[in-house]
Amino acid sequence: MPEPLHLAALAAAAVALTVAIRCAIDTRRYRRQTEADAERARRALAQIKEVHRDRH
């Protein structure tokens, strides 16, 4: 039978792995959202430049 210390170490490792996976998922989600925001900003800037160019 495993010793309580080994079980505690396994439990801690499982928690650490779960946290690492969730952080990786959140990071990917954040990066995708940031890229989408940047793309929207680029399009908006292009439209502003186009309107400005048309006025001059």
Side-chain angles (χ1 to χ4, degrees), residues 14-54:
V15 168
L17 183 59
T18 301
V19 169
I21 290 169
R22 292 188 74 173
C23 285
I25 290 169
D26 288 347
T27 299
R28 287 184 66 187
R29 203 174 284 148
Y30 174 78
R31 187 181 309 130
R32 260 187 257 126
Q33 184 62 46
T34 302
E35 289 170 355
D37 291 344
E39 182 58 33
R40 278 193 293 277
R42 279 192 289 274
R43 287 182 191 153
L45 183 58
Q47 286 179 336
I48 290 168
K49 286 180 178 179
E50 188 175 321
V51 168
H52 181 73
R53 202 175 316 122
D54 290 346

